[in-house]
Amino acid sequence: MRVLAVWGAAVAAGAVLGGGGTAVAGGGPEADLAYHGAASMSGGRVDVRFTPRNHGPASVPDATVRLRWSEPLVDRQVLPGGCARAEERVVLCRVGALAADEVGERVEMRVRLLGAPSEVLLEIDTVWNGGTVDRNRENDRQRVLVLDSGDEYYF
């Protein structure tokens, strides 16, 4: 019975955290993170640049964003400071603290995909927001289909 109680508490905690450690309904001050930028692809190389923004009303003490590609990345990548490879198709980048109504530092990177696919789906979302509540998850969850055309696709 004790195991069931502990498991139930873990499930309840996961529901409050909303998976990945991002707070949802409940405790914590409210902040609204957003990511806007562009991505392009040519010959299996994807260039991504985006700027984080906190629309407030509260400050975010620290934030981390996840970039997930639908295609695997080659093993060796040169990533900007504050970014690290997390999985075969995932890079995490520390955004840092953002005051209310503040624009953060622009993040720019080039990754190489395994092979040379004709397209890749890039998904960007917040995985940590310092315990703040973000009731508008639509602007910190971006999905962009990037074709191997050299054209920029904005999000």
Side-chain angles (χ1 to χ4, degrees):
M1 189 61 124
R2 182 175 291 187
V3 172
L4 289 176
V6 170
W7 183 81
V11 169
V16 169
L17 290 176
T22 303
V24 292
E30 185 174 347
D32 183 18
L33 292 173
Y35 307 104
H36 298 290
S40 64
M41 181 168 67
S42 179
R45 290 184 322 248
V46 182
D47 290 307
V48 179
R49 69 178 188 276
F50 65 91
T51 304
R53 180 181 179 100
N54 177 12
H55 293 285
S59 295
V60 174
D62 198 8
T64 301
V65 64
R66 172 178 41 212
L67 293 90
R68 181 183 323 219
W69 287 267
S70 60
E71 298 291 331
L73 305 172
V74 297
D75 288 337
R76 298 187 77 135
Q77 299 286 335
V78 176
L79 299 171
C83 295
R85 181 89 173 263
E87 297 173 23
E88 178 183 54
R89 301 169 191 224
V90 176
V91 171
L92 299 176
C93 293
R94 182 174 185 266
V95 173
L98 289 169
D101 294 320
E102 180 177 277
V103 175
E105 288 188 38
R106 185 166 149 164
V107 177
E108 295 184 37
M109 72 178 70
R110 173 178 282 175
V111 298
R112 279 205 60 75
L113 302 174
L114 193 59
S118 61
E119 64 183 39
V120 67
L121 178 64
L122 171 60
E123 298 177 297
I124 300 173
D125 67 320
T126 302
V127 292
W128 172 247
N129 62 10
T132 59
V133 176
D134 190 341
R135 297 188 198 287
N136 179 14
R137 296 302 312 273
E138 296 306 313
N139 56 1
D140 71 313
R141 291 180 178 163
Q142 301 287 349
R143 292 173 51 120
V144 59
L145 181 63
V146 184
L147 304 179
D148 187 9
S149 63
D151 294 333
E152 290 196 317
Y153 297 89
Y154 295 92
F155 55 91

